[in-house]
Amino acid sequence: MTSGPGEGPATVVWADGRLRILDQTLLPAEERVIELTTVDLVVDAIVRLAVRGAPAIGGVGGYGLVVALDEGAPATVTEARRILAEAGERIGTARPTAVNLSWAVNRVRSAAMGGDTVEAVRELARVEAQRVIDEDRAACAAMGRHGATELATRHRIMTHCNAGRLATLGIGTALGVVYAKSEAGHPVEVYAPETRPLLQGARLTSWELHRAGIPVTVLPDSAAAMLLGSGRVDAVVVGADRIAANGDVANKIGTLSHAVNAARAGVPFYVAAPLSTFDPDTAHGDKIEIELRDPGEIRFFNGKATTPPDVEVWNPAFDVTPHELVTAIFTEVGVLRPDYTRSIAEALASGSQPQIDPDPDNQGESHES
Ligand code: MRU
């Protein structure tokens, strides 16, 4: 996977038998690509959000199993399977809310377990990990097209967090819709709430849209209600980390506030997510595990204390938007509408897979060790 004009370095790359990511903790000040050569480094990169966004951590998680095999250098198939099981457990649980991570890890682990030599196990893992990436790339393109058609007359989009190229293996989910609109020649501009406390909106969404030449305005999260009420937003489009069987949507903390405020202002609220983000085993949003992060992310800003020491801090990384507040969900197989229990079940049962993007850049990097 390489990047095209205006795209910047690719978020996740497997090339020359190595797993590399763009370290997102350093953006926008510095574009540094780092190599993940051990399971410890893979887990650390996911936990500290050097790679982040549900589909992107799924892509890294899948290839993390190949890294584990290379690091462990098993002498027997039994040993290779033990490494897959142990590394799969560690990587697959590094962050709990985005279902794409455990989904991708389980998928690659199951495929590789079938190998009857050490080499076959490793090759099956590599091929499946690349499939996860290629499929997400294709899914992003397809959901972007569906979203752009639905929003053909809505040009002023508010999003949240970063659900773009940096968060996926393709052009993004919510921002994929924005890129597809731009590609179709529609005027489009984006409002990006900064997304406290780690500023994915201010640091990442503005960075990737700005370099793609798409007008973007950053605002404090707390200004979003006023913006939505002012008539300056035609639609809210966000990504998702996990969507329950009934359509409840877990996404970055603050999404729920935007959905409530959008409903009050009469602004439609859309979610863009690949089928890999749906979790049919979770009946409704109350059952979704919400990642609680280090209080230090709140207690300090720019290295300075924001609270007296030892004040209690609650730092949930995600919230759940009830399905009643979701106008529609853009997926690679089409636009899902209420009743979500029915439309989600049908979409997941359809088994349709989007065509893999035949981009020669993409193929080139999947054809090596
Ligand atoms: O904590 P993060 O930065 O990984 O959270 C990411 C989000 O909440 C995104 O909106 C979500 O993963 C969808 S990305 C296509």
Side-chain angles (χ1 to χ4, degrees):
M1 184 177 38
T2 55
S3 49
E7 293 180 13
T11 303
V12 180
V13 173
W14 177 263
D16 309 322
R18 302 272 181 172
L19 179 58
R20 299 191 181 94
I21 61 161
L22 178 62
D23 185 342
Q24 299 188 33
T25 63
L26 303 175
L27 292 172
E30 187 186 343
E31 291 174 34
R32 189 191 301 168
V33 173
I34 57 172
E35 229 169 69
L36 306 179
T37 51
T38 65
V39 172
D40 282 350
L41 287 174
V42 170
V43 171
D44 179 64
I46 293 171
V47 169
R48 68 186 180 85
L49 273 53
V51 60
R52 38 125 331 258
I57 61 176
V60 163
Y63 264 120
L65 293 188
V66 185
V67 169
L69 290 168
D70 290 348
E71 181 188 11
T76 64
V77 172
T78 307
E79 210 182 318
R81 290 185 181 147
R82 181 187 54 75
I83 288 171
L84 285 174
E86 287 176 8
E89 179 60 25
R90 282 193 62 203
I91 297 171
T93 58
R95 294 189 75 190
T97 304
V99 71
N100 305 62
L101 178 59
S102 53
W103 169 84
V105 166
N106 288 337
R107 191 174 145 170
V108 172
R109 181 169 47 187
S110 305
M113 287 289 189
D116 51 9
T117 64
V118 170
E119 293 71 28
V121 167
R122 200 257 187 201
E123 182 59 5
L124 286 168
R126 187 192 69 76
V127 167
E128 196 65 16
Q130 187 59 42
R131 243 181 228 147
V132 167
I133 287 187
D134 293 343
E135 286 177 15
D136 188 64
R137 188 182 173 99
C140 285
M143 83 184 85
R145 285 192 296 272
H146 292 305
T149 303
E150 174 87 9
L151 300 184
T153 58
R154 297 183 183 269
H155 305 316
R156 300 168 304 172
I157 308 294
M158 192 179 98
T159 187
H160 190 58
C161 193
N162 171 267
R165 290 188 168 108
L166 289 168
T168 65
L169 294 324
I171 60 170
T173 55
L175 296 191
V177 174
V178 168
Y179 293 127
K181 275 179 70 63
S182 171
E183 190 75 21
H186 305 166
V188 62
E189 63 177 292
V190 175
Y191 288 101
E194 58 180 351
T195 315
R196 285 277 297 147
L198 298 180
L199 303 179
Q200 290 94 328
R203 294 189 302 107
L204 307 179
T205 293
S206 74
W207 179 81
E208 75 162 84
L209 289 176
H210 185 64
R211 63 185 300 152
I214 292 179
V216 54
T217 303
V218 175
L219 56 140
D221 298 329
S222 44
M226 187 165 80
L227 177 73
L228 288 164
S230 74
R232 289 158 65 194
V233 174
D234 299 320
V236 178
V237 188
V238 298
D241 285 81
R242 190 183 293 243
I243 302 178
N246 70 343
D248 291 348
V249 174
N251 191 48
K252 177 53 54 190
I253 191 75
T255 304
L256 171 59
S257 303
H258 299 329
V260 169
N261 291 323
R264 187 173 193 282
V267 176
F269 181 93
Y270 296 93
V271 174
L275 295 184
S276 55
T277 298
F278 290 76
D279 179 5
D281 296 333
T282 296
H284 51 81
D286 288 357
K287 301 274 181 207
I288 297 176
E289 183 181 351
I290 299 297
E291 176 184 2
L292 292 177
R293 290 188 62 86
D294 181 358
E297 291 176 351
I298 306 289
R299 283 202 182 110
F300 295 92
F301 188 76
N302 268 345
K304 295 209 172 81
T306 60
T307 67
D310 303 329
V311 163
E312 280 302 314
V313 165
W314 182 51
N315 185 19
F318 301 96
D319 57 29
V320 175
T321 298
H323 60 91
E324 296 90 348
L325 296 178
V326 177
T327 306
I329 306 176
F330 306 136
T331 74
E332 66 269 46
V333 296
V335 180
L336 310 190
R337 302 180 198 278
D339 160 4
Y340 289 117
T341 301
R342 178 193 48 76
S343 59
I344 289 172
E346 281 173 8
L348 293 175
S350 72
S352 333
Q353 290 292 337
Q355 292 296 306
I356 301 295
D357 185 352
D359 177 346
D361 287 342
N362 191 30
Q363 300 296 311
E365 295 195 20
S366 65
H367 285 174
E368 46 64 56
S369 62

